[in-house]
Amino acid sequence: MRVAIVGAGAVGRSIAGELLNNGHAVMLIEKDGRKVRTRSVPGAEWVQADACEVSSLEEAQLATCDVVVAATGDDKANLVVSLLAKTEFAVNRVVARVKDPRNEWLYTEAWGVDVAVSTPRVLAALVEEAVTVGDVVRLMSFRKGAANLVEITLAEDTPWVGRPLREVPLPRETVLTVVLRGDRVITPSPDEPLEAGDELLFVTHADVEEQLQEVLSPAHAG
């Protein structure tokens, strides 16, 4: 993929490094010349420009990018960049960093945001994911909650232990994406038997998260 990252601070540079290591083409756009440190991310294309200006984004050929990441430390700038990327340049995927959690409610499709990442929310979710068994933990939301990535760890007394995945009556609009078992990453198949302690990652709708939890709970008779 070709990815544009707006904001070349520590966050933006870290994201760029990870994407480059994974074989993607990266363009870093930074307004502040003091932050343009080409040797810090040598494999990236660097552009010194104001990403809140349409003309600057045109010169950077933003329309050729598959993904735009708004990663500045300014919520106003991230929202403007997201809106321009989506409405003016038809970028397929826009990911935006939420600097102040109080502004998270603004990061919606109305501002062109496909995925909003709030560090406090992510950290809280990871803490819950690490210590919670039997409850649905929401890790990330997409498209204003139209779809959520959630995790549930199977309790030892769930009735589904030893039974194949095809027997689990998943709610509508729910897809099991992966099973984490110890250090294994398992692609779900209908005949895969479940084990106590399995971490199941689903993409689902918020309206059926409670139903999903009930299905996988120890009290569910199957």
Side-chain angles (χ1 to χ4, degrees):
M1 293 187 299
R2 177 169 167 79
V3 183
I5 301 172
V6 178
V11 173
R13 294 197 305 272
S14 296
I15 297 170
E18 290 290 334
L19 291 172
L20 287 166
N21 289 338
N22 290 333
H24 302 294
V26 174
M27 174 173 59
L28 277 161
I29 304 176
E30 174 56 54
K31 179 180 178 180
D32 188 348
R34 295 170 297 179
K35 295 182 180 179
V36 178
R37 305 170 186 170
T38 55
R39 285 184 291 182
S40 64
V41 192
E45 175 188 353
W46 286 77
V47 176
Q48 183 179 350
D50 184 352
C52 292
E53 297 288 342
V54 174
S55 58
S56 297
L57 299 178
E58 287 176 342
E59 291 181 12
Q61 297 183 324
L62 200 73
T64 65
C65 295
D66 303 292
V67 181
V68 167
V69 181
T72 79
D74 185 332
D75 283 329
K76 295 188 294 295
N78 288 341
L79 288 168
V80 170
V81 168
S82 299
L83 184 63
L84 292 177
K86 185 66 71 173
T87 60
E88 297 295 327
F89 298 93
V91 174
N92 184 54
R93 192 76 164 166
V94 177
V95 180
R97 172 193 180 192
V98 182
K99 175 65 173 178
D100 187 339
R102 293 173 297 181
N103 295 327
E104 188 174 1
W105 65 277
L106 288 167
Y107 284 74
T108 66
E109 282 187 334
W111 280 95
V113 178
D114 293 308
V115 180
V117 181
S118 172
T119 301
R121 181 178 294 276
V122 170
L123 289 174
L126 291 174
V127 169
E128 288 185 301
E129 184 269 338
V131 301
T132 303
V133 175
D135 291 334
V136 169
V137 177
R138 185 180 299 176
L139 301 177
M140 186 172 291
S141 295
F142 307 98
R143 298 188 179 277
K144 201 180 177 181
N148 297 319
L149 178 65
V150 302
E151 184 269 354
I152 187 166
T153 301
L154 287 184
E156 291 186 3
D157 53 350
T158 179
W160 302 112
V161 170
R163 296 169 65 176
L165 285 169
R166 54 181 156 75
E167 294 186 7
V168 182
L170 295 179
R172 60 179 176 80
E173 300 183 26
T174 300
V175 178
L176 177 61
T177 59
V178 70
V179 178
L180 303 179
R181 181 177 299 155
D183 58 358
R184 295 178 61 197
V185 179
I186 301 171
T187 301
S189 67
D191 296 324
E192 179 68 36
L194 293 169
E195 296 183 10
D198 280 353
E199 296 180 46
L200 310 180
L201 271 66
F202 297 89
V203 175
T204 187
H205 194 282
D207 291 345
V208 297
E209 286 180 12
E210 185 175 342
Q211 184 180 347
L212 175 62
Q213 182 170 321
E214 290 176 355
V215 166
L216 296 173
S217 70
H220 192 91

